[in-house]
Amino acid sequence: MDFQADLNPEQLAAVTHGTGPQLVLAGAGSGKTRVITYRMAWLVQECGVDPRSVVAVTFTNKAAQEMRERVEQLLGMTPLPSFVGTFHKFSLLMLRRWGEHVGLKRDFTIFDSTDQKTLIKRALKKEELSESAFPPRVMQSTISAAKNQLVDASAYESRAKGFFEQRVARVYKAYQGMLREAGGVDFDDMIALAVRILRTQPGIRDAVRSRLDYLMVDEFQDTNHAQMSLVLELVGGEGNITAVGDEDQGIYRWRGADLDNVLSFERSFPGAEVRLLERNYRSTQNILTAAGELVAKNHGRRGKRLWTDAGDGELIELYRARDEQDEARWLVSTLKGLQKRHPLSDMGVLVRTNAQTRAIEDEFLRREVPYVLVGGTRFYERAEIKDLVAYLRVLRNPRDDLSLRRILNTPPRGIGKVTEDNLLHVAGEEGMPVWDVIFNDELGSFPARSAGALREFRKLITGLQAEAGERSLASLLEEILERSGYTSMFDPEDPDGASRLENVEEFVSAAQEFSERRGEEAGEEADELTAFLDHVALVADLDGWQAQRGVSLMTLHSAKGLEFPVVTVCGLEEGVLPHFNAGEERDAVEEERRLLYVGMTRARQKLFLTTCSRRRIAGRYQDQEDSRFLAEIPVGALEVSRSPELFQERARGVRSYFGGGNAPPWAASAPKTSANDTRPGRRPTRATAKGLPPSEEGIGKGMRVRHATLGKGVVLDVEGSGPSRKLVVFFDRGGKRKLVARYAGLERA
């Protein structure tokens, strides 16, 4: 192979680097993987390095497989003797060989996330702690975070402060004991235990280092503390490491990634060479300039400026929509209009949250446009949506056994598998539906505790049935959520929990939207609940349109590593992007800015952005403010079009000229936030949507408070002051939560 012909000068310098550490800051689309694969080939072919002494680690099996195949092709060497795999796979090989030094047998079992959750439930039961107060998912993520910081159960116990941490310490200790009794490890243990072996067994560490001459680390900005510790133990501070990454694409802080591993690389590896890859092979210059000016507002970066030979290209188009339905209609019409130049498979639609896909999916299905939901579950197939649909079906027809069994113990209410099996047995013996057993039977054949739980479930369903005929769909769903305590299963501080809560709110919005649309249509004979359930079933059943390759719809997180000729980033509003969970914390806002940067740099030729003047949240319209990021895009980068529904004027041809951080001219014409809206783009909880006052500075430590969905609780601690003031609250049925005070919608109990 001809290295000089295949690589640009900056890539060639990184590939042919001699000994010692180097950090390669590879901008979006600059050939990051090319550098790693060509360096491996150069070391073996040109330097005569034994391929068995060259190791490359990355984060996904897919990335590792692609890397391995490219090196094999370059060297004509199949199979490649080098290790190319994930951090976890490398750690696993170490544990299989030397696991006895950390108490493992050779045949230890690896427990996946489902197994972990089962053990955590058992640990909670052993410690006599309630699953509703201490949700297993919250326990699991808290323990995982501790392991990724190399804090074992004993260390966590010694550091635990306050009510919540002390109980986590008990669960952590019990959980870890159960893992060892079962002869197993979880995924977080694998890296932590590999680090422990290297730190406590100098002979093994020296043996590993003697066999590992060169280490390549892909996506270095995504490494956490445990992974960085493993790297340091493998090569030492002066070893032959090539770390390739981009601090501007660091979007996994919430998962434990530590951007400081990139920003302070020379502190860990003194004398390291730092190289920049700034030539982009993907996007036009207008896209690169706009994205670069945006991300340059971040403090947590080393700095680079991407350039390309591809020409300026078209301006970025911004569409100002009236609401999410208008946004979806414009999006689908625009993409359909581009089909003469681009097949649908050339198009990517990116959103900040999973909940945003609902309106877009509905419009794709309505207009018969094939699409593929990448890295996620289609809206109406998400577990939380199917749960709520099951509640509605049971209210309409409690003898629907399939739906009844889905919600019988969701959320957990003391009706376990044994009780359910007994119910099925009695129903089978009597030849009747399960509900008839619950409704008619005195339940005397069941243990007292089970019978009590079944009576409470009966009371819940009959009470909701009485409300069903009197309430609107959205109001009925809110009542289901309130009475069942369904949302207490999800931790709003956990990204997955927050996403599920947003999906629940979006389903309430879908119900409200359906009611309004149905009210405008004549000839509907079915009652509203039945009509809505029929609508949901029909929409979900139209997924055949996804059988053919179409538009790719995904979150911004899922888009990393992908590219499309045409990209649309939807929802550039305060509270959406940046997400309301970011608050005003600088690091969190900077990660949101990096998310938008990642989304923009997925586009090769054409980039669209959208923003809504209002957005329906939990069934109610909320006035939206434009994302602060829009004002950070440079002069002349945007061509703006306005919705006729919003401005009653022609939709296209309006050019925006702004920059320097000042608000764009069109921002002044945007509708003002309503008087009861306490912050730009505020995303209300159900509490604020109902009109409850936001938290006041007067709420302090030790006070009893009430939340619309989490119930009553006590304030354990107060962090910070002013707009970023946070309250740590332990709720009776929601467990420990950390809430931004001004958005929490709390009132004194």
Side-chain angles (χ1 to χ4, degrees), residues 1 67-78 80:
M1 74 196 78
M67 203 179 297
R68 170 181 288 275
E69 289 174 354
R70 287 170 72 169
V71 178
E72 288 177 341
Q73 186 176 14
L74 288 171
L75 290 173
M77 187 183 292
T78 305
L80 182 70

Side-chain angles (χ1 to χ4, degrees), residues 47 114 162 182 209 221 308 314 392 441 446 449 454 539 587 617 710 715 747:
C47 302
T114 303
R209 287 184 179 180
Q221 77 281 348
T308 181
E314 298 180 57
L392 293 176
D441 199 292
F446 291 84
R449 186 173 178 180
L454 289 170
V539 169
D587 287 349
I617 298 167
L710 299 173
V715 180
E747 52 180 11

Side-chain angles (χ1 to χ4, degrees), residues 553-616:
L553 174 61
M554 70 195 79
T555 65
L556 287 160
H557 283 100
S558 298
K560 186 155 179 284
L562 302 178
E563 61 181 71
F564 301 91
V566 179
V567 167
T568 307
V569 183
C570 297
L572 267 73
E573 303 137 38
E574 289 291 312
V576 180
L577 184 62
H579 195 270
F580 76 101
N581 277 348
E584 295 301 323
E585 182 187 351
R586 192 180 80 176
D587 287 349
V589 172
E590 290 198 354
E591 177 146 301
E592 294 292 301
R593 189 178 282 111
R594 289 194 294 269
L595 258 182
L596 178 54
Y597 171 83
V598 166
M600 293 172 71
T601 54
R602 299 311 93 192
R604 289 165 53 188
Q605 299 166 24
K606 186 65 182 175
L607 175 61
F608 297 100
L609 308 174
T610 70
T611 181
C612 293
S613 176
R614 64 177 188 172
R615 190 173 288 275
R616 200 193 297 264

Side-chain angles (χ1 to χ4, degrees), residues 689-704:
K690 289 182 177 179
L692 295 176
S695 299
E696 302 290 341
E697 288 288 327
I699 292 181
K701 189 173 181 178
M703 289 185 178
R704 293 287 298 177

Side-chain angles (χ1 to χ4, degrees), residues 649-664:
E649 62 182 38
R650 291 185 63 183
R652 290 200 169 275
V654 183
R655 186 69 58 85
S656 133
Y657 300 92
F658 65 92
N662 296 321

Side-chain angles (χ1 to χ4, degrees), residues 637-656:
L638 293 181
E639 185 172 14
V640 182
S641 58
R642 301 170 169 90
S643 168
E645 296 180 22
L646 184 59
F647 292 99
Q648 299 300 311
E649 62 182 38
R650 291 185 63 183
R652 290 200 169 275
V654 183
R655 186 69 58 85
S656 133

Side-chain angles (χ1 to χ4, degrees), residues 429-742:
E429 288 285 317
E430 299 293 331
M432 62 175 64
V434 172
W435 171 252
D436 287 353
V437 177
I438 298 172
F439 187 74
N440 297 318
D441 199 292
E442 291 301 319
L443 304 173
S445 61
F446 291 84
R449 186 173 178 180
S450 299
L454 289 170
R455 292 189 188 101
E456 284 299 312
F457 178 71
R458 178 170 66 196
K459 181 180 176 182
L460 169 69
I461 298 302
T462 54
L464 289 169
Q465 283 178 315
E467 296 278 353
E470 306 296 325
R471 290 179 174 269
S472 68
L473 273 172
S475 177
L476 177 60
L477 278 167
E478 288 180 336
E479 194 68 14
I480 290 171
L481 295 168
E482 175 70 23
R483 292 196 188 188
S484 69
Y486 183 81
T487 54
S488 67
M489 294 192 300
F490 310 121
D491 177 14
E493 295 299 315
D494 173 67
D496 181 71
S499 177
R500 290 175 183 272
L501 287 170
E502 288 173 348
N503 289 336
V504 168
E505 291 182 345
E506 183 60 26
F507 189 62
V508 176
S509 293
Q512 181 64 31
E513 178 188 319
F514 176 83
S515 296
E516 292 174 2
R517 190 167 61 243
R518 187 171 185 267
E520 298 169 357
E521 297 173 355
E524 284 282 359
E525 296 180 359
D527 65 272
E528 189 173 55
L529 176 56
T530 298
F532 180 62
L533 288 172
D534 290 347
H535 164 74
V536 169
L538 289 171
V539 169
D541 196 46
L542 286 173
D543 287 337
W545 286 106
Q546 300 183 22
Q548 49 182 307
R549 176 73 178 173
V551 179
S552 294
L553 174 61
M554 70 195 79
T555 65
L556 287 160
H557 283 100
S558 298
K560 186 155 179 284
L562 302 178
E563 61 181 71
F564 301 91
V566 179
V567 167
T568 307
V569 183
C570 297
L572 267 73
E573 303 137 38
E574 289 291 312
V576 180
L577 184 62
H579 195 270
F580 76 101
N581 277 348
E584 295 301 323
E585 182 187 351
R586 192 180 80 176
D587 287 349
V589 172
E590 290 198 354
E591 177 146 301
E592 294 292 301
R593 189 178 282 111
R594 289 194 294 269
L595 258 182
L596 178 54
Y597 171 83
V598 166
M600 293 172 71
T601 54
R602 299 311 93 192
R604 289 165 53 188
Q605 299 166 24
K606 186 65 182 175
L607 175 61
F608 297 100
L609 308 174
T610 70
T611 181
C612 293
S613 176
R614 64 177 188 172
R615 190 173 288 275
R616 200 193 297 264
I617 298 167
R620 293 163 176 80
Y621 276 117
Q622 169 71 36
D623 289 345
Q624 297 292 89
E625 292 264 344
D626 291 320
S627 169
R628 69 193 73 179
F629 301 149
L630 283 175
E632 297 172 355
I633 294 176
V635 174
L638 293 181
E639 185 172 14
V640 182
S641 58
R642 301 170 169 90
S643 168
E645 296 180 22
L646 184 59
F647 292 99
Q648 299 300 311
E649 62 182 38
R650 291 185 63 183
R652 290 200 169 275
V654 183
R655 186 69 58 85
S656 133
Y657 300 92
F658 65 92
N662 296 321
W666 40 261
S669 63
K672 296 191 179 199
T673 307
S674 58
N676 63 358
D677 198 5
T678 59
R679 73 173 177 92
R682 168 168 159 259
R683 195 182 199 289
T685 60
R686 222 175 324 278
T688 57
K690 289 182 177 179
L692 295 176
S695 299
E696 302 290 341
E697 288 288 327
I699 292 181
K701 189 173 181 178
M703 289 185 178
R704 293 287 298 177
V705 293
R706 180 185 295 107
H707 186 276
T709 56
L710 299 173
K712 292 182 179 180
V714 61
V715 180
L716 301 179
D717 199 6
V718 178
E719 299 178 0
S721 60
S724 60
R725 184 172 182 261
K726 295 180 181 177
L727 304 174
V728 181
V729 185
F730 189 87
F731 291 99
D732 296 341
R733 67 169 184 257
K736 183 183 175 184
R737 300 285 194 271
K738 183 184 289 186
L739 308 171
V740 178
R742 59 178 174 157

